Amino acid sequence: MSEPETSFLSPRKFLSHPALLTLPALAILILVMAVPLGTVISRSFTEGDAFLDNYYWFFNTPVNMTVLIRTFRIAAVVTLVCVIVAYPYAYAMSVVGPRLRLFLIMCVLVPFWVSGVVRTLAWVILLQDSGVINKTLLALGFDKVKLIRTQLGVTIGMTQILLPFMIMPLYAVMRGIDLRLIQAAKSLGAHPVKTFFQVYLPLSLPGVFAGATIVFILALGFYITPMLLGGTQSSMLSTLVQQQVLSLLNWGRGGAMGVVLLIATFGFLALAAPFMRQKYKMSGGSR
């Protein structure tokens, strides 16, 4: 007897199409992201005297362009510092013994589990003119350094908060590198520095690019840390969006700012994608 034909929504038919398993996630994504984003985009065009009035205001206000450039500059600097700090730390995590590796991983994850607001408030205390850092500098015979309400303070705070997003992708890639390649290069007479730059570094580049992309995108949207550590002279675009939406109740201009930041981010990623893809293939990722 032939098996009776099942309906399209029967569990067996549903499970036979893996793509259908993504429907719940797609529904949630549309509900919590696509709908709000579409509303913001719509209001950026419809709230104003003309169709592009909010965008005309944004690009013809010098302070907006200054803050936009500052946002990308701070995000780029934070990403670069994260790469410099995270690379040796992730390398150490990948080569040490199990107990020390567990300790290093916990040093990354425990601060990561603490709220970003709490960590930012801790940096507010540390970076003050009478804080621990400046007291230490004075005790060592140096002059005080202005840290709070500066872009340097913003960079320090954002780097500390975003560092786990750089370390963990790097560690995941470095753990997969076959260290016998390093030993083979050394056995053939290669200098350790040359071995690192010609063998190990290219193999670890996918982790560098993955972590840098995550950190850069997250840094562009930071709000609390720049507001508390930077003040008005170091504000980022997210702060201006908050002022327009929550303080001035101008959803059109706030939406236009958000759309400009979103398009600029996608444009940057589109420009960086071919370079990242080329480096990934050079590192052997195409195999």
Side-chain angles (χ1 to χ4, degrees):
M1 180 181 292
S2 62
E3 185 178 355
E5 186 177 354
T6 56
S7 64
F8 178 77
L9 293 178
S10 65
R12 181 178 300 178
K13 192 75 173 179
F14 189 82
L15 294 175
S16 66
H17 294 78
L20 295 177
L21 298 176
T22 64
L23 289 179
L26 286 176
I28 296 175
L29 187 64
I30 292 173
L31 182 64
V32 303
M33 182 176 178
V35 172
L37 182 61
T39 303
V40 170
I41 295 174
S42 173
R43 298 182 74 163
S44 70
F45 287 103
T46 57
E47 293 193 6
D49 297 331
F51 181 66
L52 296 175
D53 184 60
N54 294 314
Y55 294 92
Y56 180 82
W57 164 82
F58 179 84
F59 288 107
N60 284 276
T61 304
V63 66
N64 291 337
M65 301 307 300
T66 301
V67 173
L68 178 64
I69 295 173
R70 181 192 301 151
T71 299
F72 274 83
R73 185 177 65 244
I74 291 177
V77 172
V78 169
T79 303
L80 179 62
V81 175
C82 281
V83 171
I84 295 173
V85 175
Y87 196 94
Y89 193 91
Y91 176 76
M93 287 171 59
S94 64
V95 297
V96 296
R99 291 187 177 181
L100 185 54
R101 179 183 302 124
L102 179 61
F103 173 75
L104 294 177
I105 292 175
M106 294 306 294
C107 289
V108 176
L109 294 182
V110 170
F112 182 67
W113 293 333
V114 179
S115 169
V117 176
V118 175
R119 283 183 283 170
T120 300
L121 291 176
W123 279 113
V124 170
I125 298 173
L126 292 174
L127 298 179
Q128 287 181 350
D129 295 338
S130 58
V132 176
I133 296 177
N134 271 318
K135 285 184 177 178
T136 304
L137 290 176
L138 289 176
L140 295 175
F142 297 99
D143 295 331
K144 282 186 176 180
V145 178
K146 182 65 176 176
L147 297 173
I148 197 75
R149 305 291 183 265
T150 64
Q151 292 187 26
L152 177 59
V154 174
T155 302
I156 293 173
M158 291 177 62
T159 299
Q160 191 272 329
I161 293 175
L162 292 173
L163 204 53
F165 295 97
M166 188 75 234
I167 292 177
M168 298 314 292
L170 264 174
Y171 170 69
V173 172
M174 287 178 174
R175 284 284 290 170
I177 296 177
D178 190 350
L179 296 180
R180 290 177 299 181
L181 296 173
I182 310 298
Q183 297 173 357
K186 290 181 179 179
S187 66
L188 294 175
H191 192 274
V193 176
K194 189 175 183 179
T195 301
F196 172 77
F197 283 104
Q198 293 192 355
V199 178
Y200 193 85
L201 181 61
L203 294 174
S204 64
L205 282 181
V208 175
F209 289 130
T213 302
I214 296 172
V215 170
F216 183 77
I217 292 176
L218 291 177
L220 288 176
F222 255 51
Y223 164 64
I224 296 294
T225 303
M227 186 179 66
L228 295 180
L229 297 180
T232 56
Q233 299 299 321
S234 303
S235 60
M236 298 175 69
L237 196 61
S238 55
T239 305
L240 297 188
V241 174
Q242 182 270 339
Q243 291 174 353
Q244 290 294 330
V245 174
L246 298 182
S247 300
L248 303 177
L249 300 180
N250 197 330
W251 282 83
R253 290 183 174 181
M257 287 180 167
V259 172
V260 169
L261 181 60
L262 182 65
I263 294 175
T265 303
F266 282 153
F268 174 83
L269 293 177
L271 293 175
F275 177 77
M276 295 170 61
R277 192 180 302 115
Q278 180 185 10
K279 291 296 183 183
Y280 182 74
K281 290 181 178 178
M282 289 175 61
S283 68
S286 59
R287 292 194 298 269

